[in-house]
Amino acid sequence: MSGIPTQILEALASASSLPLLSSEAFPNIEPLNVRSALDSLSSREMVVYDTIEREEAELTDEGEGIVKEGSHEAKVYDAVCKSIEGLKISELAKVVGAASAKVGQGKAFKEGWIKKDGDRLVKSVPAIKDVTRDNLNIIKSTHAHPNATVLADLKKRKLVVTVKRISFKINKGPKFATQVIKEETDLTADMLYSGEWKTKSFKPYNFKALGAPAITGALHPLMKVRHEFRQIFFEMGFEEMPTNRFVESGFWNFDTLFVPQQHPARDLQDTFYISDPPLADRPRDDATGEPLTEYWDNVREVHENGKYGSLGYRYPWKEEESLRLVLRTHTTAISANMLHKLAKNPVAAKYFSIDRVFRNETVDATHLAEFHQVEGVIADYSLTLGDLIGFMQTFFAKMGVHDLRFKPAYNPYTEPSMEIFGYHSGLGKWVEIGNSGMFRPEMLEAMGLPKGMRVHGWGLSLERPTMIRYGVSNIRELLGHKVDLGFVKTNAAVRF
Amino acid sequence: MPTVTVDKAGLYEALGQEYTTDEFDELCFEFGIELDEDTTLTERPIVNGKQEPPQLKIEIPANRYDMLCHEGISLMLNIFRGKASVPNWRVVAPPDGEIHQITVHPEVQKIRPYVSGAVLRNIKFTQERYDSFIALQDKLHQNLCRQRTLVSMGTHDLDTIKGPFTYEALPPERIVFKPLNQSVVMNGHELMQFYENDKNLGRYLHIIRDSPVYPVIYDSNRTVCSLPPIINSHHSRITLDTRNVFIEVTATDKTKVEIVTSILVAMFSVYCEEQFTVEPVKIISPHNHESREVPNLSPRSTTAEVCYINECCGLNLTPDEICNLLTKMAYAAKPSASDPDLLDIEVPVTRADVLHQCDIMEDLAIAYGYNSLPRTFPGKSGTVARPLPINKLSDIVREESAMAGWTEVMPLILCSHDENFAWLNRKDDGNTAVKLANPKTAEYQVVRTSLLPGILKTIRENRKHALPLKVFECSDVAFKDETAERKSRNERHFAAAWCGKTSGFEVVHGLLDRLMLMLSQGFTEAGKLEKEVGYWIEETHEEMYFPGRAANIWIRSKDGKESVIGSFGILHPTVLEKFELPYPVSALEFNLEVFL
């Protein structure tokens, strides 16, 4: 620490009156350098200062020339005076210079100082006062002019420019001293060892700035929301389903769910079919490998001719269609598999899953060919629709959605079917937050589940609540390779 | 869900009441249809100097084919509100006593085997009714009829043709007629060419185009009535002046052919002089035992159990209360004389979606009001929560990776064939990847067999960020598997990649070490500590990696089995070029399932 800070401190110490004005005390030091010295001193509370910004007028090179030699018009007048016979107009440029001749002649005429006499110029007043030069002299010494009109005129004539000047009003601070004491920025192990911390002066911390950025990894926001959902399911006694199977047969994805083979959901427009491998095997028991012949026949019959008190869809059910492979369009294919297994020992069960599903959609801001389905299934004896509604209330309350209402809907594998609407206080309206229903007897009884056992199912997408939670309007900013890593890293933790 | 557009003033008139948009929305909500839009306050187009009147766009659930026109919507809502009862739809003989006939030729088995029909006598069309009649056929064609593949309808001015009719299948060149709204006569082949680029009809041509015979309906004078499922003839077209409508319905589905016929005549017999009456058609089709008189408009008799309905809904209603509520949903129900727990129920012909008593139970719940049902909690049985083991394992690895300073990414599971193979300098042996048959874009051709394509694409899209980038993903890939029922299996993988000014090889290696430590796998060297469980790495020459900077990850499991579970290395510059990555990348990928 030397030079300017010391100069400032010394000037403050010896000043007869305070505050000190930097433009007067240190006219030869660049304001920028003064500021950095003041910043450094004020961070130690040795000085306090205010910045003063003001406009100053300065002469241009041409203006400086006029101060030295007189205005162009005065030069012309002088030249005319000096020539006793009058000055030939053609000679003027030679005598006073081209620049002065051009401007000065006109101005001298305008002022009435000279007149024409044939091809000569002669003076028309005995003496003149060079006002331009006088005004410029005022500006040169005071950097200003009392008459704004004059100043504006001189600026227009490019004799004067105005510039911004920064100066500082400086006063002593609470820790003023003439010597700059080195202040410590940090407490170190050495200081603890030496005991220096007791005597050292510490620089005040800037409490207005952010700390050093944490070097960190991050979990994906969708996975954070998924975690919250899983917690809710675990809290409510649900077992996670083995949804690690993307490829399903038409049988498990549709037929078991009593979705007829001509249903629009099975169109090429909506479902991804698999070209290789070509076809699934007929269903078999995962554990024993035994063919599920009875189940297969039940499914066929309930579609084709009706069974279990149902008329069925009454169409020729085709094995080829059932064995076509698809990318699962919902995790309900896995639920069907789980419920079929449950039929061996039909006791109360609660299952859930949160996993990827596939739809052959045209991609836009709210649709991707892949998204995550959150699905829950409750199987028990004597379940009621009121149970489903009541359960949904508790489930969604854990997500912070307290007002629910239910709208009748249609779904081929649930009857009754209900769309779940929640009141979104932020949006100020009811929004659809999920779908639910009781699985149809045609689906459950074909599996061998007893008639008294009823099964509730419900589902929603993981993306939609996540988009609402993080204020994302384009699903492609949430899932897929176009997601911004900055977005992943800076998203707050989720707590429903 | 189909959306039906109806005239707002017309519908409210039919409902006998004006509604605010909110009130009508509420009514729809309770019934289970959805008010999509009320165009009152929108900018409506001006047609022929007249602004289009306000419309309501109503979404109808896919099972309510009886509500695909404003006649059906107003009827069902009026019944629901107790303002109307179910019409007494009935079949009556024609005035001359001569029953209309369609004789089916056996050749139609080859292309479109089933036909049904009906006649609406003394109908009175207005422009609105006519438009609605056409619109309903269109909606049915789109939905229940599956774009006319399953069923299609033709409607004709009966007074321009003369029965009995025949339903035949003939070579296209032998079917010659003037199609609806056209001025030239053409045969079946010419017709296919004529409509090839037609925006509306072009999409139905494929249904019969390549068949050696086309289905056709003739009258007794050999006048072509229609060429199903493409178009009717101009000759028998219906107009506003038509009084008697002959309807023929052809199909490949014998159940739906009757459903469609019933819906169409039930909805529009309201405009017949004698309301809700329909004249029958006798189908003569002995070759497939489908000779019968159609349509059958009598309600279907069935039963439902009182205790089932009460139990499912969580209610305790008396049989009479249930019967009363079911009336709102267009059923006629009364307690059975034989069994106190049974209800005798008549399902109207328009409700072909009612298959089981669960459908009746749902309608009871709707009539009662979903939102009025007592809300209870299923608390009878306790169950035990349990995570899926592979997900629990994944979570451990994911959290350790994030704690180690890596950022989780979630690319898509589907990718292009090149991204999965050629771009990684990998060859497709044909036995590895599951391939899609009908993707809409080349971005989705295969199910990934590696997490790397998605990770590298994520890095590519994030090049603007300060280096290095350290990203990971823990998710499933899929492989073909001939031994599995579905011929494929998922595998849980972990992958990570570093992208920076230097290769980061040792950083990726360090992440592997860290994860192995967290998974209780000790580091060992090949061949050493033979009885110990653990992992080691050995140089590999996979073409995806830069030569000399790649290793396979080996595991020795408890049973002494040694296997490669994955690899890591500096990616080959040709791989980087394909993924448009200007900086070196080191990548790691291994199968997590061995640690289960």
Side-chain angles (χ1 to χ4, degrees):
Chain A
M1 186 68 66
S2 64
I4 305 171
T6 314
Q7 282 184 44
I8 293 173
L9 293 175
E10 278 167 1
L12 280 171
S14 59
S16 51
S17 71
L18 290 173
L20 218 57
L21 204 61
S22 69
S23 53
E24 289 166 4
F26 321 105
N28 300 322
I29 306 175
E30 280 289 319
L32 221 62
N33 296 337
V34 176
R35 184 199 289 275
S36 93
L38 287 172
D39 279 344
S40 157
L41 292 170
S42 76
S43 76
R44 292 178 168 76
E45 299 179 37
M46 296 176 77
V47 303
V48 289
Y49 73 93
D50 290 319
T51 306
I52 306 162
E53 270 189 23
R54 61 164 197 272
E55 296 226 308
E56 286 191 353
E58 270 193 3
L59 302 188
T60 61
D61 288 347
E62 194 181 353
E64 290 283 1
I66 289 171
V67 166
K68 229 180 265 168
E69 296 169 10
S71 65
H72 303 300
E73 57 272 25
K75 278 157 82 180
V76 170
Y77 179 80
D78 284 348
V80 170
C81 287
K82 277 177 193 153
S83 55
I84 302 148
E85 297 285 307
L87 188 64
K88 265 191 165 172
I89 296 173
S90 52
E91 297 283 305
L92 182 63
K94 262 187 229 161
V95 183
V96 298
S100 292
K102 193 173 168 225
V103 183
Q105 188 185 342
K107 185 87 172 143
F109 271 120
K110 203 173 151 202
E111 296 286 337
W113 292 350
I114 56 170
K115 61 187 178 194
K116 243 186 213 175
D117 183 8
D119 64 343
R120 285 158 197 274
L121 297 170
V122 295
K123 64 177 182 181
S124 54
V125 288
I128 57 152
K129 191 167 163 4
D130 191 348
V131 184
T132 305
R133 186 185 201 173
D134 295 347
N135 282 333
L136 289 176
N137 263 322
I138 295 171
I139 290 167
K140 189 177 165 76
S141 56
T142 65
H143 298 291
H145 195 281
N147 187 336
T149 326
V150 171
L151 190 62
D153 178 56
L154 293 173
K155 271 167 79 175
K156 207 168 127 197
R157 285 164 69 185
K158 299 207 171 83
L159 302 177
V160 168
V161 288
T162 51
V163 292
K164 238 180 215 159
R165 282 268 176 261
I166 292 173
S167 61
F168 305 94
K169 217 194 269 177
I170 311 166
N171 232 322
K172 292 178 181 172
K175 292 191 184 165
F176 177 77
T178 46
Q179 291 267 303
V180 177
I181 299 161
K182 183 171 182 271
E183 288 193 308
E184 298 298 333
T185 54
D186 203 4
L187 180 66
T188 64
D190 286 347
M191 288 177 203
L192 294 181
Y193 183 73
S194 64
E196 277 178 319
W197 63 272
K198 295 173 195 156
T199 54
K200 287 276 185 191
S201 170
F202 285 86
K203 197 176 171 183
Y205 187 76
N206 179 4
F207 289 100
K208 287 175 187 161
L210 290 175
I215 295 166
T216 173
L219 295 175
H220 194 284
L222 264 178
M223 296 299 268
K224 292 197 270 198
V225 175
R226 170 182 172 270
H227 175 81
E228 276 300 292
F229 273 110
R230 286 179 91 222
Q231 278 320 111
I232 292 173
F233 279 114
F234 289 145
E235 285 161 16
M236 300 182 87
F238 282 73
E239 178 183 341
E240 195 168 25
M241 291 190 276
T243 45
N244 48 346
R245 179 160 61 214
F246 296 148
V247 178
E248 282 290 350
S249 56
F251 181 78
W252 288 108
N253 196 73
F254 296 119
D255 291 339
T256 59
L257 298 171
F258 200 50
V259 178
Q261 295 190 332
Q262 317 91 339
H263 194 276
R266 302 177 79 147
D267 270 5
L268 293 170
Q269 290 303 312
D270 295 276
T271 298
F272 283 117
Y273 284 89
I274 305 293
S275 59
D276 180 24
L279 282 181
D281 290 341
R282 280 200 190 189
R284 58 183 185 239
D285 188 300
D286 287 341
T288 64
E290 289 294 310
L292 300 173
T293 313
E294 192 186 343
Y295 184 36
W296 171 263
D297 290 342
N298 286 345
V299 169
R300 175 204 297 272
E301 273 172 52
V302 77
H303 279 248
E304 213 165 61
N305 305 315
K307 210 176 174 180
Y308 317 110
S310 172
L311 286 179
Y313 293 116
R314 291 153 288 153
Y315 69 97
W317 184 85
K318 294 197 182 93
E319 170 160 1
E320 313 86 91
E321 194 59 42
S322 195
L323 297 184
R324 283 175 85 181
L325 288 167
V326 301
L327 283 180
R328 66 168 176 226
T329 59
H330 46 201
T331 48
T332 320
I334 305 287
S335 307
N337 198 249
M338 292 297 283
L339 290 169
H340 177 260
K341 287 195 172 98
L342 184 69
K344 280 186 187 165
N345 177 25
V347 294
K350 295 200 196 102
Y351 300 128
F352 85 96
S353 63
I354 305 170
D355 212 337
R356 204 81 63 106
V357 296
F358 305 86
R359 304 273 169 93
N360 199 0
E361 302 253 23
T362 306
V363 173
D364 64 26
T366 52
H367 295 89
L368 275 180
E370 303 177 19
F371 62 95
H372 292 80
Q373 184 184 346
V374 179
E375 173 158 356
V377 172
I378 305 174
D380 204 346
Y381 293 90
S382 308
L383 283 179
T384 72
L385 197 53
D387 286 339
L388 176 56
I389 291 174
F391 184 89
M392 288 300 119
Q393 253 187 334
T394 310
F395 180 83
F396 282 102
K398 281 175 174 280
M399 290 173 59
V401 184
H402 295 280
D403 288 336
L404 295 187
R405 35 180 223 158
F406 298 84
K407 174 176 164 290
Y410 173 69
N411 181 352
Y413 46 90
T414 54
E415 191 83 6
S417 305
M418 306 190 295
E419 278 170 9
I420 308 163
F421 284 72
Y423 190 76
H424 192 285
S425 49
L427 302 173
K429 62 175 184 182
W430 292 91
V431 292
E432 193 194 331
I433 52 177
N435 256 302
S436 64
M438 294 171 78
F439 286 117
R440 291 189 72 100
E442 289 96 327
M443 168 183 158
L444 301 178
E445 288 184 46
M447 293 170 171
L449 284 166
K451 202 183 160 197
M453 179 168 252
R454 288 194 275 275
V455 183
H456 292 156
W458 74 97
L460 58 152
S461 87
L462 180 63
E463 281 74 7
R464 201 167 143 77
T466 309
M467 286 166 84
I468 292 172
R469 168 65 182 80
Y470 288 112
V472 176
S473 57
N474 187 339
I475 193 171
R476 285 167 287 195
E477 289 166 16
L478 192 62
L479 180 64
H481 57 268
K482 291 190 175 152
V483 176
D484 180 50
L485 287 179
F487 170 80
V488 175
K489 282 197 164 188
T490 53
N491 271 308
V494 185
R495 208 169 17 148
F496 284 149
Chain B
M1 278 203 289
T3 303
V4 178
T5 303
V6 299
D7 179 68
K8 184 173 165 178
L11 183 70
Y12 288 175
E13 194 193 327
L15 295 177
Q17 183 182 340
E18 289 289 319
Y19 286 90
T20 65
T21 305
D22 283 346
E23 285 166 354
F24 188 68
D25 188 46
E26 190 64 30
L27 174 66
C28 290
F29 193 95
E30 287 299 316
F31 187 81
I33 57 181
E34 196 168 320
L35 178 62
D36 201 32
E37 197 189 345
D38 177 348
T39 67
T40 309
L41 298 175
T42 64
E43 269 186 44
R44 283 167 277 124
I46 294 165
V47 184
N48 298 333
K50 227 179 101 186
Q51 191 177 31
E52 180 190 272
Q55 295 179 327
L56 300 174
K57 296 185 178 175
I58 304 174
E59 279 191 33
I60 304 294
N63 61 325
R64 294 304 300 259
Y65 340 111
D66 57 330
M67 295 179 76
L68 294 176
C69 57
H70 106 87
E71 288 80 1
I73 293 172
S74 57
L75 177 63
M76 293 305 154
L77 288 180
N78 276 333
I79 295 173
F80 182 63
R81 299 181 313 141
K83 307 267 182 190
S85 51
V86 185
N88 176 23
W89 288 298
R90 58 199 185 279
V91 175
V92 297
D96 60 3
E98 196 129 322
I99 292 190
H100 315 283
Q101 275 186 16
I102 303 176
T103 302
V104 184
H105 290 200
E107 297 78 41
V108 297
Q109 289 287 106
K110 294 177 190 156
I111 177 72
R112 205 168 174 86
Y114 306 107
V115 66
S116 185
V119 167
L120 293 172
R121 175 75 63 186
N122 288 328
I123 197 164
K124 181 116 184 55
F125 281 120
T126 61
Q127 188 65 48
E128 288 75 28
R129 292 172 182 183
Y130 180 88
D131 291 346
S132 181
F133 190 52
I134 303 297
L136 173 62
Q137 292 175 54
D138 192 46
K139 285 275 180 270
L140 287 169
H141 277 150
Q142 297 315 312
N143 296 285
L144 182 60
C145 306
R146 309 290 313 119
Q147 314 288 343
R148 304 191 186 183
T149 53
L150 299 181
V151 187
S152 62
M153 289 152 269
T155 54
H156 311 274
D157 188 330
L158 181 62
D159 299 323
T160 64
I161 46 182
K162 191 175 177 324
F165 303 94
T166 54
Y167 178 39
E168 308 178 21
L170 293 172
E173 59 276 10
R174 286 184 49 201
I175 306 168
V176 181
F177 69 108
K178 194 201 291 181
L180 184 63
N181 297 332
Q182 300 304 329
S183 48
V184 285
V185 170
M186 50 187 96
N187 72 27
H189 285 309
E190 291 160 344
L191 186 138
M192 287 290 153
Q193 278 170 8
F194 184 81
Y195 285 112
E196 190 161 37
N197 296 318
D198 188 283
K199 233 171 68 190
N200 179 28
L201 296 179
R203 59 200 156 128
Y204 306 120
L205 302 182
H206 73 96
I207 303 171
I208 57 168
R209 178 169 220 155
D210 298 327
S211 165
V213 288
Y214 289 1
V216 59
I217 300 225
Y218 284 109
D219 79 348
S220 58
N221 297 324
R222 299 302 286 169
T223 306
V224 172
C225 299
S226 70
L227 181 79
I230 313 297
I231 195 152
N232 298 337
S233 87
H234 191 67
H235 175 86
S236 58
R237 73 194 180 281
I238 58 167
T239 67
L240 291 182
D241 300 325
T242 297
R243 299 303 313 277
N244 301 304
V245 179
F246 170 61
I247 298 168
E248 40 82 14
V249 184
T250 58
T252 55
D253 185 298
K254 110 181 177 187
T255 307
K256 293 203 167 69
V257 74
E258 312 292 22
I259 296 174
V260 168
T261 312
S262 302
I263 297 269
L264 190 60
V265 297
M267 290 302 129
F268 283 86
S269 56
V270 67
Y271 299 128
C272 290
E273 214 161 77
E274 197 180 337
Q275 278 194 324
F276 308 119
T277 62
V278 177
E279 287 179 11
V281 172
K282 195 172 190 174
I283 308 293
I284 300 166
S285 184
H287 62 278
N288 60 352
H289 314 291
E290 288 296 327
S291 296
R292 67 210 189 275
E293 208 172 277
V294 288
N296 178 4
L297 298 180
S298 32
R300 182 171 70 85
S301 297
T302 186
T303 57
E305 297 159 309
V306 174
C307 70
Y308 170 81
I309 290 175
N310 271 329
E311 261 186 36
C312 285
C313 296
L315 292 171
N316 198 11
L317 301 175
T318 64
D320 284 327
E321 286 169 327
I322 294 177
C323 292
N324 280 337
L325 284 168
L326 286 177
T327 317
K328 292 174 70 175
M329 302 305 287
Y331 298 94
K334 59 175 195 295
S336 163
S338 58
D339 184 340
D341 190 45
L342 276 190
L343 304 173
D344 289 330
I345 293 178
E346 306 217 308
V347 184
V349 65
T350 49
R351 289 299 305 279
D353 60 303
V354 176
L355 303 177
H356 187 277
Q357 63 170 342
C358 70
D359 297 297
I360 297 166
M361 177 265 288
E362 179 188 63
D363 279 339
L364 182 278
I366 295 172
Y368 189 90
Y370 276 7
N371 296 298
S372 309
L373 289 170
R375 300 188 175 190
T376 48
F377 189 82
K380 295 167 205 91
S381 315
T383 54
V384 178
R386 200 167 75 102
L388 187 68
I390 188 69
N391 287 354
K392 186 166 180 168
L393 181 62
S394 299
D395 286 349
I396 291 170
V397 174
R398 289 175 51 238
E399 277 160 26
E400 291 297 344
S401 301
M403 280 191 265
W406 296 69
T407 298
E408 185 172 36
V409 297
M410 280 185 100
L412 301 181
I413 284 162
L414 304 179
C415 61
S416 78
H417 187 274
D418 275 352
E419 286 164 356
N420 196 66
F421 291 105
W423 289 14
L424 295 175
N425 291 340
R426 285 178 170 165
K427 286 189 181 58
D428 180 7
D429 62 4
N431 297 316
T432 309
V434 173
K435 298 188 174 97
L436 307 192
N438 58 325
K440 287 192 174 121
T441 78
E443 280 178 274
Y444 312 131
Q445 293 173 321
V446 297
V447 182
R448 65 184 179 189
T449 62
S450 160
L451 300 180
L452 293 183
I455 284 186
L456 296 179
K457 285 194 282 179
T458 306
I459 293 177
R460 180 184 71 203
E461 299 296 325
N462 278 282
R463 281 180 306 194
K464 65 177 193 293
H465 287 286
L467 296 176
L469 300 177
K470 292 154 73 183
V471 298
F472 75 93
E473 186 189 9
C474 186
S475 183
D476 278 355
V477 301
F479 295 107
K480 280 172 74 172
D481 183 351
E482 275 303 313
T483 64
E485 179 191 321
R486 295 140 182 106
K487 302 295 168 198
S488 59
R489 70 186 153 81
N490 279 23
E491 197 171 276
R492 185 66 49 90
H493 278 201
F494 175 86
W498 153 292
C499 174
K501 293 242 166 76
T502 56
S503 81
F505 184 52
E506 70 289 347
V507 185
V508 166
H509 187 177
L511 177 64
L512 172 70
D513 293 337
R514 172 75 192 162
L515 295 180
M516 289 300 137
L517 183 64
M518 293 299 102
L519 293 171
S520 310
Q521 299 294 319
F523 181 67
T524 175
E525 276 177 53
K528 274 195 190 168
L529 301 165
E530 270 170 21
K531 282 174 192 155
E532 284 200 19
V533 170
Y535 78 103
W536 72 95
I537 62 173
E538 281 179 17
E539 187 177 347
T540 176
H541 302 286
E542 228 188 292
E543 286 174 38
M544 181 173 74
Y545 296 118
F546 195 66
R549 290 290 183 281
N552 278 335
I553 308 161
W554 285 83
I555 283 283
R556 188 183 299 115
S557 56
K558 283 187 199 121
D559 55 9
K561 226 180 95 190
E562 296 180 347
S563 59
V564 175
I565 61 159
S567 62
F568 69 98
I570 303 175
L571 292 182
H572 198 279
T574 54
V575 173
L576 299 178
E577 196 187 327
K578 287 291 192 308
F579 285 95
E580 297 170 44
L581 299 172
Y583 300 102
V585 173
S586 287
L588 159 71
E589 179 166 21
F590 62 87
N591 175 3
L592 198 59
E593 301 199 358
V594 295
F595 301 107
L596 266 176

